[in-house]
Amino acid sequence: MALNAGQQDSAASGFDKAKAAEGQESIKKVLPPVRTLPPGPLPPYESLDAISPPAIPEDFHDIGRSKPLSDLHSDRTPSDLSDYSDHNTTKYTDSVVKGAALFLEFYGLSYTPHADNTARMASPQLIFVDGTFAELAQEMADYIQVNSAKTEHAVQVGDEVRPLLEKEKNEDALEAIVKASGVLNTVPEKEFTGAINLLIHLVLQSNEPKRHLPAVCSNLLKPITSSPSHGFTLAASALSTIFNLLDKTNPVRYNVFLQIIRFIRQHGQYELLKPRLKNLEAWFADWETNAEDQRKLYIDVADTAAEAGDDEESYHYILKALSTFEREEAEGEEAQKYSLKALKMAISSPTRFDFQDLRALPSVQALSDSQPVYSQLLDIFTEQDLEDYNDFREEHEGWIEKEKLDHEKLQRKMRLLTFASLAASTPNREIPYANIAKALQISSEDVEMWTIDVVRAKLVEGRLSQKQKVFLVHRTTYRVFGEKQWRELGTRIDQFKLVVDRLTSTVRRAQAEVEQARKAEEEQLAKKLAGAGISSGNPGDRRRQPRQRTDDDD
């Protein structure tokens, strides 16, 4: 029978869900090897790597049970063991918790609060099972058969697998069980986790888990009708269990994670998935995922983020997907489809002003042949100004409206980009209001408003001088950096060098004048001291020198 100690609301509650008959003496055999998950936030599933520890310490077995777990009969269902986790009625609870604590202490497990205070702590996820594969499979089949009788589509899977198991046709028996396992979505809520964990164990013990997992994951994506309120959490926990119990380098993890993404998208819970996406590149390396599968997952993530309203994340993962195309694939239908989508997102985004990463992609460069008008528009947003945009609109009259692009948003964005270009191309860093109004095609009264907007967009830094009617540029962002920009930079470096040279000359001249003044003062002081009969060798020595003795002194 499978016993579950899954993720709960506190670090100690991991063993609260373990289920076993009252008065058991010891655990003689644990299958499969106990797997623990590192502690972490419960979001409600935890996509962290499972760890397989060595043998359980002896202290864990000595918990004072009077009946071995292996004596449980196959006719017992997960609900029959609920008394094991009941703190109020089971007199051996303290012993169980003590044994669990010793087990965790033996492996050096500890709990560190997550930075996000809203996240709950997850306890180690454990699955305890006892019995042979045939016994557990028959128990699972009988359980499904009993519960299917309560539905409109009763199945006789218990009777079907019995002869298969007797002939040791385990894979065929498991296939029949998995095929009928959709019934588990209708079992009582309190029995679901134990039942699904037993099914997961059977699948992972098979010779071909990849053969059976798609059906299991597919059923978990369907509604759990017995628990409308907690169905999402139950299914997410089960999907997480499958992911975690697979080996870190097992490529089947890719398929499970793909199902998790689709599950999250189906329920609109992208924020729960987002923190895990930072591990994608490392996982791809572990699973040796090819470019096509990487692209497939990136696109699913992008679509999920877009539906959640996170356009920046969606754009980010579309670019990642586009980067997986080889140069010879750049002109393919799929590459062009997502390149055009990324282009539309880039020019329409109110916060994206840099298009260099997009233009660098071969598939986007190939749009110049398949979508020349869109390619021309991208060039305008990348390095041209508002006047060029207006000329484009006149040349392709009605095209923007036909393509369902928002002219007002595009025009506003072009004004901001034009302001940035004007600031970058102004050598003296002072832009008169009149020049701004002309470049942006606005009235003089609106100059200050647009200046504030471009500063808020972080394209330019500076301050307004209302008295002089100029904008003083402190810092600006280059939209592109090519030969022209290198020349401008060279000119400004020469100007800066000239200013530094002048400043250096002024400082040196001032130093020379100070030195000359000091020497003049010393010479003047020496003359005064000499006139007073004081040696100039040591101006500080004011004592009169002794007179030489003569014959007249006698």
Side-chain angles (χ1 to χ4, degrees), residues 31 37 65 145 152 160 271 294 315 320-321 345 418 424 444 479 495 498 512 530 545:
L31 294 175
L37 297 181
R65 300 199 183 104
Q145 180 171 319
E152 298 179 357
E160 181 182 348
E271 290 302 318
Q294 289 185 32
Y315 177 78
K320 282 186 171 292
M345 293 179 68
T418 301
S444 299
R479 295 168 59 189
Q495 291 175 347
L498 181 61
Q545 298 297 320

Side-chain angles (χ1 to χ4, degrees), residues 66 98-99 127 186 228 282 441 446 460 480 547:
S66 60
K98 180 180 178 182
I127 295 181
T186 66
Q441 299 179 13
D446 294 332
V460 176
V480 293
R547 185 173 61 84

